[in-house]
Amino acid sequence: MSGAIAVFGASSGSLNGEYYEAAREFGVQLAEHGKALVFGGGDTGIMGAAARGAHEAGGRVIGVIPEALHLPGIAYSKCDELIVTRDLRDRMERMAELADGFCVMPGGFGTMYELFEVL
């Protein structure tokens, strides 16, 4: 996919609010520059904030979520495209196929896993 950027970051809502606002603004900027957002498909945390920002600015949002997390209240329901994968490893492979670049934002061990997986 030309012009798609994947974002990795915390799925929790327990970080300082400025991080979520920065993620939302990142999503806005992607959309304003004609880039699609590829993310882990969750409604919360850094990635959910980025997805909401991209939508606010009229951008395309592609979620990639493993079957185990594809549940009401967990998945971001407003994805333009939601790809459901077998597991986390398949999710990472699919995100790498879709994205032309990657942005790593604050997170924990899961975010580090995602970073090292794409490296």
Side-chain angles (χ1 to χ4, degrees), residues 7 10-11 23-24 37 39 41-53 76:
V7 64
S11 61
R24 188 197 66 74
L37 171 72
F39 77 119
D43 189 49
T44 61
I46 295 290
M47 292 184 286
R52 283 187 288 286
Y76 182 67

Side-chain angles (χ1 to χ4, degrees), residues 26-37 53-60:
F26 178 77
V28 167
Q29 291 296 315
L30 282 181
E32 289 179 353
H33 287 87
K35 307 294 183 194
L37 171 72
H55 266 145
E56 287 171 19
R60 180 162 169 75

Side-chain angles (χ1 to χ4, degrees), residues 72-88:
I74 294 177
Y76 182 67
S77 64
K78 296 180 182 175
C79 289
D80 296 299
E81 181 178 357
L82 183 63
I83 300 166
V84 180
T85 63
R86 185 178 61 226
D87 55 30
L88 288 171

Side-chain angles (χ1 to χ4, degrees), residues 8 39-41 63-70 82-97 110 113-114 117:
F8 303 133
F39 77 119
V64 185
I65 194 166
E67 282 180 277
L69 298 177
H70 186 222
L82 183 63
I83 300 166
V84 180
T85 63
R86 185 178 61 226
D87 55 30
L88 288 171
R89 186 168 299 245
D90 287 341
R91 177 174 91 170
M92 287 303 305
E93 184 176 334
R94 189 70 176 122
M95 289 177 77
E97 290 170 357
Y113 161 75
E114 292 167 331
E117 185 72 21

